[in-house]
Amino acid sequence: MQDGDEPNRAEWIRLVLAQQQGPLLRYAARITGDIERARDVVQDTFLRLCRERPERLNSHLTEWLFTVCRNRALDVVRKESRTRTLTEIDLSSRQSDEPSPALTAERRETTGELLQAIDDLPANQQEVIQLKFQNDLSYREISRITNLSVSNVGFLIHTGIKTLRQRVRALEGVSHED
Amino acid sequence: MKIDPNDPRLTAYVLGELDDAERTKIEALLQDDETARREIETIRTARATITNELRSEPCPRLAPEQIAAIHERAASRKPARAPFPWWRLLGWATALGAATALTLLQFRPLDQHREKARRLPVYTASPNSSTVAGATAETGHLRLEAPPAPKDVSGSLTLSLNRPEPNPPAIAGQPGRSSTTPQSQHGPSMVTPGSDASGKTVVRANQEITSRLVEIAPASPAQSSSGATLTYNDGHAAWQAGAVSAYRAIGRAESSIGQPNDRITISRGAESRTLPLDDVQSLNYAQSGNESPHSYYDRGQIEWDQYFPPQTESVSPSSPSAESYSHSIENPFVTVAQNPLSTFGLDADTASYANIRRFLNQGTLPPHDAVRIEEMLNYFSYDYPRPHGREPFALYAEMSECPWNPAHRLALIGLKATDIASHKIQPMNLVFLIDVSGSMGDQNELPLVKQALRLLVDQLTPRDRVAIVVYAGDSRVALRSTPGDDKTAILEVIDSLEAGGSTNGGAGIQSAYREALANFIEGGVNRVILCTDGDFNVGVTDPNQLVQMVQQQAQSHVFLTILGVGMGNLKDSTMQKLADKGSGNYAYIDNLDEAHKVLVEQMRGTLVTVARDAKVQIEFNPTLVRSYRLIGYEKRRLRARDFNNDRKVAGDIGAGHTVTALYEIVPATAPAEPGVDPLKYQSSPRSAASAELMTVKLRYKDPEASTSQLLTAAVRDSGASWRGTSSDFRFAASVAAFGMILRDSPYKGASTFNLVHELADGARGRDENGYRSEFISLVDQARTLSGNVVPDDP
């Protein structure tokens, strides 16, 4: 029976890959600021997934993937900036870093003011907003992925939305317009 | 006590992140805190916009060689630890109660997930799970239940996919592919839920109970085929889990534990289907999202396409470009024993037919998902008896043999809405909301809209009013509300419209409603007429958000009519959704004749609503009917209990409309379906005395009323032969058969283009406007086109 498991597991990987590579790449790209580095990170993440047993990850697969992906991405960022260790706090000042031309170009076509405003947020707010709104993860899941407390996650998201509302007029409700 | 608008709990509330106690507290505070309520609304808007924006970010992919490397590793590598038959343990654990289930934690690889694992679902094996490998049960079913959870685990939920393994999902539609199911390769002992062909189930429980994610992943290798349909047979009625051309159906379960509204919703794009918890035998379609102000399961749904790589989107080779259609699975046959009630909302929209005609006239077959059979049926008018007296509807029914399956019966249920004489039409307050963006420049778009509106303006009287709002990159009021007899002024503005710029449908809609409200005619027809290709490509593009706004406006009795035009980037799904949810209607205008039909001949039907929230419920008599299938109306299916729920929004019916629904019926005398044992206990002759085949119930609201009226009729099968049927019946049958052929439906039976032609040809009736003749020529065109799929070299 165990042998029979193998092709089935490969199928599972294929499935998860098809479904999650996009979201993970977007996430990693935001951390590394570079789509190529993001691709390496996500590939690593999936190679690690190949070592896991599907049923062990079933109920928290997404969370596992994002956690591993995040750690790998932070590793890469740390290696790139050898002079200092990039901690969570450092991460929040990374906003001043220019995203790579490739990423910017990819962005420019489809997005407007709002995405720009999200890019301008402190990195920790960007990250939780991305996890919440792009990937529909709960505060608790985000908390475990980012090692922030649940209430901290809630605060960051709340503050992030507030800032975006101030900067992007379209975010103010219908009743407020004019 | 006031809430500080800076309180993060407000955001957490909107995002569904509060626990029960906190949420109740916040809701109580919101009751008398206007400022906080506005803040909540603003956060909701922001959430929708941010979600929409972030999800539309480009979704990059790994490089092909990276993907290959991962697949190679996946194929070669053994898992780190020996497999453990944990499902057996789980079976015992469940039997012993939730506390025992905690022992499983030690097998979880990551400690940090401990808490989650406790809250999260376990797989419950069937009662005889200890012999799972040898189980021979034929049935499997999806069961959602609240476990006997410890008190501190608020809102915990168990989703169990109870599916003994020897019952693989039959893969329909791609017979050549199904040979690769794991079952056929590895025998019947594959029960590993992570990759079980019969389905993987993952629940991600959020803090908020009303927001749970369920992923149902039939990890069957149907990935190679686009458009393959996974059919689960639960032993009673086959339900299709989704036309998963890739791998999985992903849905969102919305549930409040132990509440009557518990359900699972499986959604794809604008479409969702709902599985009520207490009615697990059938997978019901439902239009979700309009039950209460606090439910938002229509928003924040997973973007299906995000999980389905683009190659799965090839709905049809003939789909030329950026047109989008929401995907739908046809209603299956369901047994009366399991589902005596069939419930759906009425729909008098006709857009799909006009759109199909456009495709055929352009020389291509329409994409399957562009074919909505109910909209084809309702495109034609039928000569049903008119209602008497003050009732707005008359019901009609007819039954005979089913032309594409002689062993079955075909039942027609028709409804005729009362008409209103032209001189009795209430004064109209119309706002034309016209998309003048660059995408509308084509001859079939803005110029056609202008001609169409001229037709409408010609009929206006001095009591009517017209305003014109145009939108592109931004919106402006091109004509302030003007009396209907000032035709010069109105036509001048219409003639001056030119296309250019990008589209922001959201902002335009807001101005149009403002204009309509400012000139509201009490007791009159107040309507925004949106003319667009539906490509809201800038700004508030979240269809859910638009729908919400349109719904709000409908409460103030300003309704929406959508005139869809154009091709190439027609966003059929967006427009249909707007019209469905917004108490409106949607017509597709492919040429000036169609404009004439919609805006002149049937102007009253288009603009004057005689009934709202019209729903039909049919109860079948199990002694006469074994099973049935509602043809079409996939997007209109309702849960049985929604029939009597006046808060459940359904379709609007315009003056003089006819609405037609067809059921294919398997008589109780028909031979049993292969593979399903006869039921031992279900056929009790409790209603044997009745010769009634079914009872039709109709609920509707008068346009201004908030409570519904009920009409009921019992239907007997007089055994009418095909010869004895009306031409309306035969014509409707031919339309349905045509639709099923165009959809390549598994239920089309013996339907062929020739059969459709023959049926329709003998059922032209009076055909005053030539629509039936036109239908026949479209059938011939489709026959030619489908014959020409293989290019023939001279």
Side-chain angles (χ1 to χ4, degrees):
Chain A
M1 290 315 141
Q2 291 163 23
D3 290 344
D5 204 24
E6 282 312 306
N8 217 353
R9 210 167 56 87
E11 190 49 48
W12 175 72
I13 299 274
R14 186 187 296 275
L15 183 155
V16 177
L17 182 65
Q19 193 190 87
Q20 297 284 6
Q21 60 167 311
L24 288 170
L25 281 166
R26 293 197 289 207
Y27 180 58
R30 206 175 270 280
I31 297 176
T32 61
D34 179 311
I35 187 67
E36 283 314 318
R37 276 183 290 182
R39 287 203 168 95
D40 293 341
V41 165
V42 172
Q43 184 189 16
D44 277 0
T45 307
F46 279 102
L47 291 175
R48 282 200 51 185
L49 181 68
C50 295
R51 300 208 295 258
E52 300 295 325
R53 290 198 57 80
E55 65 274 16
R56 288 173 193 283
L57 296 180
N58 251 341
S59 57
H60 52 255
L61 174 63
T62 313
E63 191 182 316
W64 185 91
L65 287 168
F66 276 88
T67 308
V68 172
C69 176
R70 179 177 195 271
N71 293 339
R72 288 296 303 137
L74 288 176
D75 282 350
V76 168
V77 173
R78 272 185 210 112
K79 267 185 209 144
E80 302 278 331
S81 55
R82 280 182 193 132
T83 50
R84 64 201 170 101
T85 310
L86 209 72
T87 66
E88 314 309 326
I89 298 130
D90 291 328
L91 198 61
S92 65
S93 59
R94 198 173 44 78
Q95 56 185 305
S96 54
D97 293 354
E98 285 287 313
S100 82
L103 194 65
T104 327
E106 217 168 302
R107 283 258 166 96
R108 200 176 290 126
E109 291 173 26
T110 50
T111 58
E113 211 188 342
L114 177 56
L115 213 49
Q116 188 55 55
I118 293 174
D119 286 349
D120 291 342
L121 289 176
N124 53 0
Q125 290 180 23
Q126 276 185 48
E127 184 178 23
V128 292
I129 282 182
Q130 185 180 24
L131 290 172
K132 179 71 212 171
F133 295 100
Q134 196 167 58
N135 300 295
D136 200 27
L137 295 162
S138 70
Y139 281 13
R140 195 164 290 276
E141 288 164 317
I142 296 172
S143 136
R144 284 188 289 248
I145 292 169
T146 58
N147 287 322
L148 297 165
S149 73
V150 172
S151 60
N152 202 351
V153 169
F155 176 78
L156 288 173
I157 289 178
H158 179 78
T159 313
I161 294 179
K162 269 246 137 87
T163 314
L164 291 175
R165 277 167 52 189
Q166 281 156 14
R167 295 189 188 159
V168 184
R169 210 177 145 273
L171 288 188
E172 287 298 322
V174 173
S175 52
H176 295 251
E177 62 133 42
D178 280 359
Chain B
M1 198 186 99
K2 297 279 181 199
I3 312 173
D4 180 356
N6 272 318
D7 192 330
R9 282 182 305 170
L10 291 181
T11 302
Y13 173 74
V14 171
L15 297 178
E17 293 282 354
L18 292 180
D19 61 30
D20 284 352
E22 282 277 15
R23 194 177 56 224
T24 316
K25 208 156 92 193
I26 291 283
E27 276 169 0
L29 287 171
L30 285 176
Q31 285 290 319
D32 21 62
D33 191 340
E34 171 68 28
T35 321
R37 281 205 303 273
R38 270 212 309 276
E39 183 71 11
I40 292 274
E41 268 321 300
T42 312
I43 298 173
R44 285 212 167 109
T45 312
R47 174 187 64 183
T49 314
I50 295 171
T51 304
N52 188 55
E53 187 79 16
L54 280 174
R55 296 208 180 155
S56 63
E57 248 194 322
C59 229
R61 300 179 64 76
L62 290 173
E65 62 274 15
Q66 291 177 309
I67 292 178
I70 292 166
H71 286 327
E72 194 182 321
R73 178 81 59 93
S76 68
R77 184 134 194 151
K78 295 276 178 194
R81 275 159 284 202
F84 178 80
W86 63 276
W87 56 88
R88 297 195 183 174
L89 180 71
L90 210 45
W92 305 330
T94 311
L96 295 174
T100 321
L102 296 182
T103 58
L104 282 177
L105 289 176
Q106 64 197 82
F107 301 107
R108 299 273 169 186
L110 298 176
D111 268 356
Q112 60 188 6
H113 297 304
R114 179 171 294 238
E115 182 191 347
K116 177 159 187 123
R118 178 162 20 101
R119 287 194 297 116
L120 274 182
V122 288
Y123 291 97
T124 331
S126 57
N128 58 344
S129 63
S130 53
T131 56
V132 116
T136 54
E138 285 290 324
T139 62
H141 64 263
L142 196 59
R143 189 154 51 93
L144 197 54
E145 61 186 13
K151 279 282 179 281
D152 63 312
V153 187
S154 64
S156 88
L157 185 74
T158 301
L159 180 101
S160 36
L161 184 59
N162 186 354
R163 183 178 293 280
E165 71 289 356
N167 187 27
I171 297 175
Q174 293 288 333
R177 312 281 188 188
S178 59
S179 61
T180 56
T181 58
Q183 271 73 16
S184 57
Q185 285 176 3
H186 309 296
S189 57
M190 302 292 299
V191 209
T192 320
S195 44
D196 178 4
S198 57
K200 178 166 76 92
T201 315
V202 179
V203 173
R204 286 194 301 150
N206 289 341
Q207 280 288 89
E208 193 200 36
I209 293 171
T210 53
S211 171
R212 286 168 192 285
L213 182 74
V214 175
E215 298 177 51
I216 297 169
S220 161
Q223 76 283 0
S224 45
S225 59
S226 90
T229 301
L230 291 174
T231 307
Y232 286 79
N233 193 323
D234 68 7
H236 301 293
W239 51 273
Q240 294 172 311
V244 262
S245 30
Y247 313 97
R248 50 167 49 185
I250 291 187
R252 174 177 279 280
E254 303 295 344
S255 176
S256 299
I257 306 303
Q259 303 285 310
N261 286 334
D262 289 359
R263 78 205 62 194
I264 307 173
T265 300
I266 296 178
S267 58
R268 172 175 172 137
E271 182 186 63
S272 60
R273 273 167 292 139
T274 296
L275 178 65
L277 297 194
D278 56 353
D279 183 16
V280 292
Q281 303 297 351
S282 72
L283 193 66
N284 285 332
Y285 283 95
Q287 297 288 347
S288 59
N290 43 18
E291 284 202 321
S292 82
H294 289 301
S295 68
Y296 61 88
Y297 36 87
D298 204 36
R299 285 173 267 155
Q301 277 176 353
I302 301 154
E303 288 301 318
W304 185 285
D305 292 346
Q306 184 181 328
Y307 295 90
F308 285 82
Q311 72 267 17
T312 72
E313 281 305 297
S314 54
V315 262
S316 151
S318 61
S319 164
S321 55
E323 303 195 6
S324 88
Y325 298 95
S326 52
H327 180 74
S328 67
I329 304 294
E330 286 177 86
N331 294 328
F333 277 100
V334 289
T335 59
V336 178
Q338 296 298 330
N339 288 284
L341 294 173
S342 170
T343 311
F344 62 97
L346 288 178
D347 182 2
D349 288 350
T350 60
S352 176
Y353 181 79
N355 195 27
I356 290 167
R357 176 174 60 201
R358 190 248 307 179
F359 273 106
L360 292 173
N361 285 335
Q362 283 173 355
T364 49
L365 292 169
H368 296 171
D369 288 334
V371 178
R372 291 188 291 271
I373 293 175
E374 71 278 14
E375 294 186 17
M376 298 174 70
L377 287 170
N378 292 329
Y379 183 86
F380 302 94
S381 56
Y382 303 87
D383 213 3
Y384 303 144
R386 289 169 191 283
H388 315 283
R390 295 186 56 240
E391 278 181 356
F393 290 117
L395 281 171
Y396 176 75
E398 193 171 341
M399 201 175 307
S400 182
E401 69 191 49
C402 177
W404 52 85
N405 190 342
H408 294 174
R409 305 288 288 172
L410 186 68
L412 175 148
I413 291 153
L415 175 148
K416 175 87 182 170
T418 189
D419 205 349
I420 295 173
S422 340
H423 64 275
K424 282 195 180 158
I425 294 187
Q426 310 97 306
M428 296 191 286
N429 161 35
L430 305 179
V431 179
F432 298 153
L433 171 57
I434 305 171
D435 180 352
V436 293
S437 60
S439 65
M440 291 282 289
D442 192 275
Q443 190 58 33
N444 279 311
E445 306 191 9
L446 191 57
L448 179 59
V449 165
K450 288 158 74 169
Q451 287 173 302
L453 292 180
R454 290 189 74 104
L455 293 175
L456 183 56
V457 171
D458 279 345
Q459 305 171 74
L460 296 178
T461 71
R463 301 184 308 158
D464 303 323
R465 299 191 73 82
V466 169
I468 298 177
V469 177
V470 296
Y471 69 97
D474 56 6
S475 62
R476 70 186 166 89
V477 180
L479 176 72
R480 287 275 165 207
S481 190
T482 303
D485 57 345
D486 193 354
K487 295 196 174 23
T488 328
I490 302 171
L491 294 178
E492 211 167 88
V493 173
I494 291 179
D495 287 343
S496 69
L497 300 176
E498 276 178 35
S502 61
T503 319
N504 186 339
I509 285 184
Q510 286 154 26
S511 326
Y513 276 117
R514 252 201 312 275
E515 199 62 25
L517 280 173
N519 297 283
F520 193 86
I521 300 177
E522 213 53 62
V525 172
N526 295 282
R527 204 168 265 279
V528 169
I529 299 178
L530 168 59
C531 311
T532 179
D533 56 8
D535 190 8
F536 308 121
N537 58 15
V538 174
V540 189
T541 59
D542 181 356
N544 297 318
Q545 206 183 334
L546 283 172
V547 165
Q548 213 190 346
M549 188 177 73
V550 169
Q551 254 170 354
Q552 272 169 13
Q553 299 292 350
Q555 280 162 16
S556 54
H557 292 107
V558 177
F559 302 124
L560 180 68
T561 290
I562 298 181
L563 301 181
V565 291
M567 57 193 76
N569 53 6
L570 175 69
K571 294 289 182 284
D572 182 69
S573 49
T574 310
M575 295 198 276
Q576 204 209 11
K577 191 163 185 184
L578 276 177
D580 276 2
K581 301 287 182 66
S583 281
N585 45 35
Y586 166 35
Y588 180 77
I589 309 273
D590 56 342
N591 57 43
L592 199 56
D593 289 343
E594 183 63 16
H596 192 265
K597 174 176 188 273
V598 172
L599 295 176
V600 181
E601 282 165 45
Q602 299 175 359
M603 188 261 272
R604 299 186 295 278
T606 308
L607 300 182
V608 183
T609 301
V610 296
R612 302 183 58 200
D613 296 343
K615 307 167 198 172
V616 166
Q617 183 164 71
I618 293 177
E619 181 184 351
F620 290 93
N621 179 349
T623 57
L624 297 176
V625 180
R626 158 136 354 98
S627 57
Y628 61 87
R629 181 175 106 77
L630 173 61
I631 302 173
Y633 290 92
E634 277 82 6
K635 290 168 185 301
R636 294 289 181 159
R637 292 247 330 237
L638 298 171
R639 287 171 301 154
R641 69 170 81 92
D642 289 333
F643 182 67
N644 290 328
N645 178 358
D646 282 351
R647 284 166 60 215
K648 188 77 189 176
V649 177
D652 289 1
I653 306 298
H657 272 160
T658 54
V659 182
T660 300
L662 291 173
Y663 279 92
E664 184 174 343
I665 287 176
V666 182
T669 50
E673 289 159 70
V676 180
D677 292 331
L679 296 174
K680 193 168 163 190
Y681 305 112
Q682 305 307 317
S683 52
S684 70
R686 54 191 184 280
S687 50
S690 177
E692 291 170 9
L693 190 102
M694 59 183 171
T695 294
V696 181
K697 295 181 282 181
L698 170 71
R699 265 198 190 283
Y700 64 91
K701 291 177 198 156
D702 290 327
E704 310 283 324
S706 55
T707 52
S708 62
Q709 316 276 322
L710 179 66
L711 278 177
T712 311
V715 179
R716 288 158 192 259
D717 186 357
S718 60
S721 71
W722 189 251
R723 281 164 194 279
T725 56
S726 69
S727 59
D728 280 346
F729 181 86
R730 295 194 302 276
F731 189 77
S734 76
V735 173
F738 187 46
M740 288 191 290
I741 298 172
L742 292 178
R743 287 190 64 100
D744 194 20
S745 162
Y747 306 105
K748 68 183 174 190
S751 305
T752 59
F753 288 120
N754 289 338
L755 176 74
V756 173
H757 179 107
E758 197 181 308
L759 290 179
D761 197 29
R764 289 175 193 250
R766 288 208 306 271
D767 197 20
E768 280 158 5
N769 296 304
Y771 297 131
R772 294 190 182 186
S773 304
E774 184 195 46
F775 173 80
I776 294 166
S777 68
L778 284 183
V779 172
D780 294 344
Q781 228 155 316
R783 175 171 53 192
T784 314
L785 287 171
S786 64
N788 282 351
V789 168
V790 184
D792 43 358
D793 284 343

